[in-house]
PDB file of all heavy atoms in Angstrom:
ATOM      1  N   LEU A 215       8.748  -3.786 -18.290  1.00  0.00           N
ATOM      2  CA  LEU A 215       7.700  -3.500 -17.354  1.00  0.00           C
ATOM      3  C   LEU A 215       8.094  -2.288 -16.399  1.00  0.00           C
ATOM      4  O   LEU A 215       9.264  -2.019 -16.175  1.00  0.00           O
ATOM      5  CB  LEU A 215       7.406  -4.705 -16.391  1.00  0.00           C
ATOM      6  CG  LEU A 215       7.375  -6.026 -17.175  1.00  0.00           C
ATOM      7  CD1 LEU A 215       7.342  -7.159 -16.116  1.00  0.00           C
ATOM      8  CD2 LEU A 215       6.121  -6.172 -18.011  1.00  0.00           C
ATOM      9  N   ASN A 216       7.081  -1.562 -15.986  1.00  0.00           N
ATOM     10  CA  ASN A 216       7.351  -0.529 -14.951  1.00  0.00           C
ATOM     11  C   ASN A 216       6.355  -0.675 -13.736  1.00  0.00           C
ATOM     12  O   ASN A 216       5.415  -1.402 -13.806  1.00  0.00           O
ATOM     13  CB  ASN A 216       7.352   0.850 -15.478  1.00  0.00           C
ATOM     14  CG  ASN A 216       6.125   1.301 -15.915  1.00  0.00           C
ATOM     15  OD1 ASN A 216       4.995   0.799 -15.631  1.00  0.00           O
ATOM     16  ND2 ASN A 216       6.121   2.368 -16.743  1.00  0.00           N
ATOM     17  N   SER A 217       6.697   0.040 -12.753  1.00  0.00           N
ATOM     18  CA  SER A 217       5.918  -0.033 -11.489  1.00  0.00           C
ATOM     19  C   SER A 217       4.478   0.522 -11.586  1.00  0.00           C
ATOM     20  O   SER A 217       3.644   0.333 -10.775  1.00  0.00           O
ATOM     21  CB  SER A 217       6.605   0.611 -10.319  1.00  0.00           C
ATOM     22  OG  SER A 217       6.974   1.926 -10.640  1.00  0.00           O
ATOM     23  N   ALA A 218       4.214   1.290 -12.670  1.00  0.00           N
ATOM     24  CA  ALA A 218       2.884   1.730 -13.005  1.00  0.00           C
ATOM     25  C   ALA A 218       2.027   0.763 -13.627  1.00  0.00           C
ATOM     26  O   ALA A 218       0.817   0.952 -13.924  1.00  0.00           O
ATOM     27  CB  ALA A 218       2.936   2.988 -13.732  1.00  0.00           C
ATOM     28  N   GLY A 219       2.628  -0.437 -13.977  1.00  0.00           N
ATOM     29  CA  GLY A 219       1.825  -1.476 -14.723  1.00  0.00           C
ATOM     30  C   GLY A 219       1.864  -1.533 -16.185  1.00  0.00           C
ATOM     31  O   GLY A 219       1.256  -2.319 -16.835  1.00  0.00           O
ATOM     32  N   ALA A 220       2.742  -0.607 -16.726  1.00  0.00           N
ATOM     33  CA  ALA A 220       2.954  -0.572 -18.154  1.00  0.00           C
ATOM     34  C   ALA A 220       3.770  -1.742 -18.661  1.00  0.00           C
ATOM     35  O   ALA A 220       4.637  -2.274 -18.021  1.00  0.00           O
ATOM     36  CB  ALA A 220       3.532   0.739 -18.663  1.00  0.00           C
ATOM     37  N   VAL A 221       3.374  -2.258 -19.817  1.00  0.00           N
ATOM     38  CA  VAL A 221       4.089  -3.297 -20.576  1.00  0.00           C
ATOM     39  C   VAL A 221       4.437  -2.798 -21.899  1.00  0.00           C
ATOM     40  O   VAL A 221       3.593  -2.359 -22.719  1.00  0.00           O
ATOM     41  CB  VAL A 221       3.240  -4.547 -20.673  1.00  0.00           C
ATOM     42  CG1 VAL A 221       4.007  -5.676 -21.425  1.00  0.00           C
ATOM     43  CG2 VAL A 221       2.804  -5.077 -19.288  1.00  0.00           C
ATOM     44  N   LYS A 222       5.806  -2.752 -22.269  1.00  0.00           N
ATOM     45  CA  LYS A 222       6.102  -2.136 -23.481  1.00  0.00           C
ATOM     46  C   LYS A 222       7.218  -2.985 -24.253  1.00  0.00           C
ATOM     47  O   LYS A 222       8.064  -3.528 -23.678  1.00  0.00           O
ATOM     48  CB  LYS A 222       6.722  -0.761 -23.246  1.00  0.00           C
ATOM     49  CG  LYS A 222       5.753   0.153 -22.471  1.00  0.00           C
ATOM     50  CD  LYS A 222       6.078   1.660 -22.558  1.00  0.00           C
ATOM     51  CE  LYS A 222       5.073   2.451 -21.802  1.00  0.00           C
ATOM     52  NZ  LYS A 222       5.151   3.868 -22.132  1.00  0.00           N
ATOM     53  N   ILE A 223       7.068  -2.957 -25.598  1.00  0.00           N
ATOM     54  CA  ILE A 223       7.941  -3.584 -26.479  1.00  0.00           C
ATOM     55  C   ILE A 223       9.215  -2.680 -26.653  1.00  0.00           C
ATOM     56  O   ILE A 223       9.074  -1.536 -26.863  1.00  0.00           O
ATOM     57  CB  ILE A 223       7.370  -3.913 -27.789  1.00  0.00           C
ATOM     58  CG1 ILE A 223       6.269  -4.910 -27.648  1.00  0.00           C
ATOM     59  CG2 ILE A 223       8.388  -4.485 -28.852  1.00  0.00           C
ATOM     60  CD1 ILE A 223       5.451  -5.178 -28.931  1.00  0.00           C
ATOM     61  N   ALA A 224      10.475  -3.288 -26.526  1.00  0.00           N
ATOM     62  CA  ALA A 224      11.648  -2.463 -26.732  1.00  0.00           C
ATOM     63  C   ALA A 224      12.612  -3.173 -27.708  1.00  0.00           C
ATOM     64  O   ALA A 224      12.372  -4.265 -28.129  1.00  0.00           O
ATOM     65  CB  ALA A 224      12.279  -2.222 -25.381  1.00  0.00           C
ATOM     66  N   ASP A 225      13.770  -2.546 -27.916  1.00  0.00           N
ATOM     67  CA  ASP A 225      14.846  -3.073 -28.684  1.00  0.00           C
ATOM     68  C   ASP A 225      14.378  -3.406 -30.239  1.00  0.00           C
ATOM     69  O   ASP A 225      14.093  -4.501 -30.464  1.00  0.00           O
ATOM     70  CB  ASP A 225      15.467  -4.377 -28.078  1.00  0.00           C
ATOM     71  CG  ASP A 225      16.832  -4.625 -28.548  1.00  0.00           C
ATOM     72  OD1 ASP A 225      17.245  -4.091 -29.731  1.00  0.00           O
ATOM     73  OD2 ASP A 225      17.686  -5.369 -27.947  1.00  0.00           O
ATOM     74  N   PHE A 226      14.622  -2.460 -31.057  1.00  0.00           N
ATOM     75  CA  PHE A 226      14.208  -2.537 -32.364  1.00  0.00           C
ATOM     76  C   PHE A 226      15.534  -2.730 -33.315  1.00  0.00           C
ATOM     77  O   PHE A 226      15.515  -2.378 -34.458  1.00  0.00           O
ATOM     78  CB  PHE A 226      13.486  -1.304 -32.875  1.00  0.00           C
ATOM     79  CG  PHE A 226      12.063  -1.310 -32.326  1.00  0.00           C
ATOM     80  CD1 PHE A 226      11.802  -0.839 -31.003  1.00  0.00           C
ATOM     81  CD2 PHE A 226      10.972  -1.679 -33.077  1.00  0.00           C
ATOM     82  CE1 PHE A 226      10.587  -0.780 -30.494  1.00  0.00           C
ATOM     83  CE2 PHE A 226       9.715  -1.707 -32.539  1.00  0.00           C
ATOM     84  CZ  PHE A 226       9.488  -1.221 -31.232  1.00  0.00           C
ATOM     85  N   GLY A 227      16.544  -3.341 -32.691  1.00  0.00           N
ATOM     86  CA  GLY A 227      17.806  -3.529 -33.395  1.00  0.00           C
ATOM     87  C   GLY A 227      17.736  -4.386 -34.517  1.00  0.00           C
ATOM     88  O   GLY A 227      18.622  -4.320 -35.446  1.00  0.00           O
ATOM     89  N   TYR A 228      16.809  -5.371 -34.611  1.00  0.00           N
ATOM     90  CA  TYR A 228      16.655  -6.261 -35.694  1.00  0.00           C
ATOM     91  C   TYR A 228      15.395  -5.975 -36.522  1.00  0.00           C
ATOM     92  O   TYR A 228      15.000  -6.745 -37.404  1.00  0.00           O
ATOM     93  CB  TYR A 228      16.630  -7.737 -35.224  1.00  0.00           C
ATOM     94  CG  TYR A 228      17.925  -8.194 -34.763  1.00  0.00           C
ATOM     95  CD1 TYR A 228      18.126  -8.517 -33.373  1.00  0.00           C
ATOM     96  CD2 TYR A 228      18.960  -8.448 -35.625  1.00  0.00           C
ATOM     97  CE1 TYR A 228      19.329  -9.045 -32.969  1.00  0.00           C
ATOM     98  CE2 TYR A 228      20.197  -8.876 -35.156  1.00  0.00           C
ATOM     99  CZ  TYR A 228      20.382  -9.187 -33.830  1.00  0.00           C
ATOM    100  OH  TYR A 228      21.629  -9.678 -33.428  1.00  0.00           O
TER     101      TYR A 228
END
Side-chain angles (χ1 to χ4, degrees):
L215 316 169
N216 69 16
S217 52
V221 177
K222 304 198 178 193
I223 297 174
D225 198 341
F226 289 80
Y228 289 113

